[in-house]
Amino acid sequence: MSLVRNRGVEPLTVGSHFFLELYDCPAALLDDRGYVHQVIRDAVERSNSTLISDIAHKFHPQGVTSIALLAESHISIHTWPELGYAAADAFTCGDSAKPEKACRHFVEAFQAKRYLLRRINRGPAFAANAKLTAQPTELATAGSPPYPARSTE
């Protein structure tokens, strides 16, 4: 994996990490293991990434997770058909892959009526501006998870 450098001296970023929230998607698409798996494979191709391995898993009573391991890093998607919702991410290192194209493909393939796309540049140069903590931060209060729990059976 190559680094993007500032005048060849210091690494600015090791890659780009895109986080995608898909809303109001047809439940039938989100619950179809074969379809979700093919969409992630197509996303790998569209993003000009190199596929090493991929897997998809169907949850019961509903939902699918699919992950593509890339030479550049990974692309993943997790679906909640009962909510018409999917969460995806695409992290690629170097500058040849285009993870934003994988995200665009997800929006189209899952027919999202609304979506939110966020990008984070990854690498040591960003630590100077980051608020680093020694202790983990509690992100949610104790209790039920934000999405329904599912069985892997």
mmCIF file with all atom_site columns, all heavy atoms in Angstrom, residues 136-147:
data_model
loop_
_atom_site.group_PDB
_atom_site.id
_atom_site.type_symbol
_atom_site.label_atom_id
_atom_site.label_alt_id
_atom_site.label_comp_id
_atom_site.label_asym_id
_atom_site.label_entity_id
_atom_site.label_seq_id
_atom_site.pdbx_PDB_ins_code
_atom_site.Cartn_x
_atom_site.Cartn_y
_atom_site.Cartn_z
_atom_site.occupancy
_atom_site.B_iso_or_equiv
_atom_site.pdbx_formal_charge
_atom_site.auth_seq_id
_atom_site.auth_comp_id
_atom_site.auth_asym_id
_atom_site.auth_atom_id
_atom_site.pdbx_PDB_model_num
ATOM 1  N N   . PRO A 1 136 ? -11.202 5.074  26.364 1.00 0.00 ? 136 PRO A N   1
ATOM 2  C CA  . PRO A 1 136 ? -12.292 4.999  25.395 1.00 0.00 ? 136 PRO A CA  1
ATOM 3  C C   . PRO A 1 136 ? -13.449 5.892  25.821 1.00 0.00 ? 136 PRO A C   1
ATOM 4  O O   . PRO A 1 136 ? -13.680 6.108  27.001 1.00 0.00 ? 136 PRO A O   1
ATOM 5  C CB  . PRO A 1 136 ? -12.712 3.527  25.418 1.00 0.00 ? 136 PRO A CB  1
ATOM 6  C CG  . PRO A 1 136 ? -11.886 2.855  26.424 1.00 0.00 ? 136 PRO A CG  1
ATOM 7  C CD  . PRO A 1 136 ? -10.927 3.836  27.031 1.00 0.00 ? 136 PRO A CD  1
ATOM 8  N N   . THR A 1 137 ? -14.137 6.430  24.852 1.00 0.00 ? 137 THR A N   1
ATOM 9  C CA  . THR A 1 137 ? -15.278 7.285  25.110 1.00 0.00 ? 137 THR A CA  1
ATOM 10 C C   . THR A 1 137 ? -16.549 6.469  24.981 1.00 0.00 ? 137 THR A C   1
ATOM 11 O O   . THR A 1 137 ? -16.714 5.711  24.040 1.00 0.00 ? 137 THR A O   1
ATOM 12 C CB  . THR A 1 137 ? -15.317 8.443  24.096 1.00 0.00 ? 137 THR A CB  1
ATOM 13 O OG1 . THR A 1 137 ? -14.081 9.137  24.178 1.00 0.00 ? 137 THR A OG1 1
ATOM 14 C CG2 . THR A 1 137 ? -16.460 9.388  24.372 1.00 0.00 ? 137 THR A CG2 1
ATOM 15 N N   . GLU A 1 138 ? -17.452 6.627  25.941 1.00 0.00 ? 138 GLU A N   1
ATOM 16 C CA  . GLU A 1 138 ? -18.733 5.932  25.866 1.00 0.00 ? 138 GLU A CA  1
ATOM 17 C C   . GLU A 1 138 ? -19.592 6.641  24.838 1.00 0.00 ? 138 GLU A C   1
ATOM 18 O O   . GLU A 1 138 ? -19.829 7.839  24.920 1.00 0.00 ? 138 GLU A O   1
ATOM 19 C CB  . GLU A 1 138 ? -19.437 5.932  27.225 1.00 0.00 ? 138 GLU A CB  1
ATOM 20 C CG  . GLU A 1 138 ? -20.678 5.082  27.215 1.00 0.00 ? 138 GLU A CG  1
ATOM 21 C CD  . GLU A 1 138 ? -21.298 4.969  28.597 1.00 0.00 ? 138 GLU A CD  1
ATOM 22 O OE1 . GLU A 1 138 ? -20.563 5.077  29.591 1.00 0.00 ? 138 GLU A OE1 1
ATOM 23 O OE2 . GLU A 1 138 ? -22.510 4.764  28.660 1.00 0.00 ? 138 GLU A OE2 1
ATOM 24 N N   . LEU A 1 139 ? -20.020 5.904  23.822 1.00 0.00 ? 139 LEU A N   1
ATOM 25 C CA  . LEU A 1 139 ? -20.773 6.498  22.731 1.00 0.00 ? 139 LEU A CA  1
ATOM 26 C C   . LEU A 1 139 ? -22.278 6.422  22.930 1.00 0.00 ? 139 LEU A C   1
ATOM 27 O O   . LEU A 1 139 ? -23.020 7.182  22.349 1.00 0.00 ? 139 LEU A O   1
ATOM 28 C CB  . LEU A 1 139 ? -20.404 5.815  21.416 1.00 0.00 ? 139 LEU A CB  1
ATOM 29 C CG  . LEU A 1 139 ? -18.943 5.966  20.997 1.00 0.00 ? 139 LEU A CG  1
ATOM 30 C CD1 . LEU A 1 139 ? -18.698 5.177  19.727 1.00 0.00 ? 139 LEU A CD1 1
ATOM 31 C CD2 . LEU A 1 139 ? -18.595 7.422  20.790 1.00 0.00 ? 139 LEU A CD2 1
ATOM 32 N N   . ALA A 1 140 ? -22.730 5.474  23.708 1.00 0.00 ? 140 ALA A N   1
ATOM 33 C CA  . ALA A 1 140 ? -24.176 5.320  23.905 1.00 0.00 ? 140 ALA A CA  1
ATOM 34 C C   . ALA A 1 140 ? -24.438 4.895  25.339 1.00 0.00 ? 140 ALA A C   1
ATOM 35 O O   . ALA A 1 140 ? -23.570 4.342  25.999 1.00 0.00 ? 140 ALA A O   1
ATOM 36 C CB  . ALA A 1 140 ? -24.718 4.275  22.934 1.00 0.00 ? 140 ALA A CB  1
ATOM 37 N N   . THR A 1 141 ? -25.626 5.144  25.796 1.00 0.00 ? 141 THR A N   1
ATOM 38 C CA  . THR A 1 141 ? -25.979 4.722  27.137 1.00 0.00 ? 141 THR A CA  1
ATOM 39 C C   . THR A 1 141 ? -26.247 3.224  27.148 1.00 0.00 ? 141 THR A C   1
ATOM 40 O O   . THR A 1 141 ? -26.538 2.619  26.113 1.00 0.00 ? 141 THR A O   1
ATOM 41 C CB  . THR A 1 141 ? -27.238 5.464  27.621 1.00 0.00 ? 141 THR A CB  1
ATOM 42 O OG1 . THR A 1 141 ? -28.291 5.194  26.708 1.00 0.00 ? 141 THR A OG1 1
ATOM 43 C CG2 . THR A 1 141 ? -26.989 6.957  27.709 1.00 0.00 ? 141 THR A CG2 1
ATOM 44 N N   . ALA A 1 142 ? -26.140 2.637  28.297 1.00 0.00 ? 142 ALA A N   1
ATOM 45 C CA  . ALA A 1 142 ? -26.394 1.201  28.433 1.00 0.00 ? 142 ALA A CA  1
ATOM 46 C C   . ALA A 1 142 ? -27.850 0.916  28.091 1.00 0.00 ? 142 ALA A C   1
ATOM 47 O O   . ALA A 1 142 ? -28.719 1.751  28.274 1.00 0.00 ? 142 ALA A O   1
ATOM 48 C CB  . ALA A 1 142 ? -26.085 0.742  29.848 1.00 0.00 ? 142 ALA A CB  1
ATOM 49 N N   . GLY A 1 143 ? -28.100 -0.262 27.596 1.00 0.00 ? 143 GLY A N   1
ATOM 50 C CA  . GLY A 1 143 ? -29.472 -0.632 27.243 1.00 0.00 ? 143 GLY A CA  1
ATOM 51 C C   . GLY A 1 143 ? -29.498 -1.361 25.927 1.00 0.00 ? 143 GLY A C   1
ATOM 52 O O   . GLY A 1 143 ? -28.520 -1.948 25.499 1.00 0.00 ? 143 GLY A O   1
ATOM 53 N N   . SER A 1 144 ? -30.632 -1.288 25.276 1.00 0.00 ? 144 SER A N   1
ATOM 54 C CA  . SER A 1 144 ? -30.796 -2.020 24.027 1.00 0.00 ? 144 SER A CA  1
ATOM 55 C C   . SER A 1 144 ? -29.976 -1.388 22.912 1.00 0.00 ? 144 SER A C   1
ATOM 56 O O   . SER A 1 144 ? -29.731 -0.190 22.913 1.00 0.00 ? 144 SER A O   1
ATOM 57 C CB  . SER A 1 144 ? -32.270 -2.061 23.633 1.00 0.00 ? 144 SER A CB  1
ATOM 58 O OG  . SER A 1 144 ? -32.739 -0.754 23.419 1.00 0.00 ? 144 SER A OG  1
ATOM 59 N N   . PRO A 1 145 ? -29.544 -2.213 21.936 1.00 0.00 ? 145 PRO A N   1
ATOM 60 C CA  . PRO A 1 145 ? -28.778 -1.681 20.813 1.00 0.00 ? 145 PRO A CA  1
ATOM 61 C C   . PRO A 1 145 ? -29.674 -0.781 19.954 1.00 0.00 ? 145 PRO A C   1
ATOM 62 O O   . PRO A 1 145 ? -30.900 -0.891 20.015 1.00 0.00 ? 145 PRO A O   1
ATOM 63 C CB  . PRO A 1 145 ? -28.358 -2.931 20.042 1.00 0.00 ? 145 PRO A CB  1
ATOM 64 C CG  . PRO A 1 145 ? -29.301 -3.994 20.467 1.00 0.00 ? 145 PRO A CG  1
ATOM 65 C CD  . PRO A 1 145 ? -29.742 -3.641 21.857 1.00 0.00 ? 145 PRO A CD  1
ATOM 66 N N   . PRO A 1 146 ? -29.074 0.100  19.172 1.00 0.00 ? 146 PRO A N   1
ATOM 67 C CA  . PRO A 1 146 ? -29.868 1.018  18.369 1.00 0.00 ? 146 PRO A CA  1
ATOM 68 C C   . PRO A 1 146 ? -30.654 0.315  17.252 1.00 0.00 ? 146 PRO A C   1
ATOM 69 O O   . PRO A 1 146 ? -31.617 0.852  16.746 1.00 0.00 ? 146 PRO A O   1
ATOM 70 C CB  . PRO A 1 146 ? -28.835 1.969  17.782 1.00 0.00 ? 146 PRO A CB  1
ATOM 71 C CG  . PRO A 1 146 ? -27.550 1.233  17.848 1.00 0.00 ? 146 PRO A CG  1
ATOM 72 C CD  . PRO A 1 146 ? -27.661 0.317  19.021 1.00 0.00 ? 146 PRO A CD  1
ATOM 73 N N   . TYR A 1 147 ? -30.243 -0.895 16.884 1.00 0.00 ? 147 TYR A N   1
ATOM 74 C CA  . TYR A 1 147 ? -30.943 -1.644 15.854 1.00 0.00 ? 147 TYR A CA  1
ATOM 75 C C   . TYR A 1 147 ? -31.312 -3.018 16.422 1.00 0.00 ? 147 TYR A C   1
ATOM 76 O O   . TYR A 1 147 ? -30.623 -3.522 17.301 1.00 0.00 ? 147 TYR A O   1
ATOM 77 C CB  . TYR A 1 147 ? -30.076 -1.806 14.607 1.00 0.00 ? 147 TYR A CB  1
ATOM 78 C CG  . TYR A 1 147 ? -29.721 -0.490 14.016 1.00 0.00 ? 147 TYR A CG  1
ATOM 79 C CD1 . TYR A 1 147 ? -28.452 0.045  14.160 1.00 0.00 ? 147 TYR A CD1 1
ATOM 80 C CD2 . TYR A 1 147 ? -30.670 0.267  13.336 1.00 0.00 ? 147 TYR A CD2 1
ATOM 81 C CE1 . TYR A 1 147 ? -28.142 1.278  13.625 1.00 0.00 ? 147 TYR A CE1 1
ATOM 82 C CE2 . TYR A 1 147 ? -30.366 1.498  12.801 1.00 0.00 ? 147 TYR A CE2 1
ATOM 83 C CZ  . TYR A 1 147 ? -29.102 1.996  12.948 1.00 0.00 ? 147 TYR A CZ  1
ATOM 84 O OH  . TYR A 1 147 ? -28.798 3.218  12.422 1.00 0.00 ? 147 TYR A OH  1
#
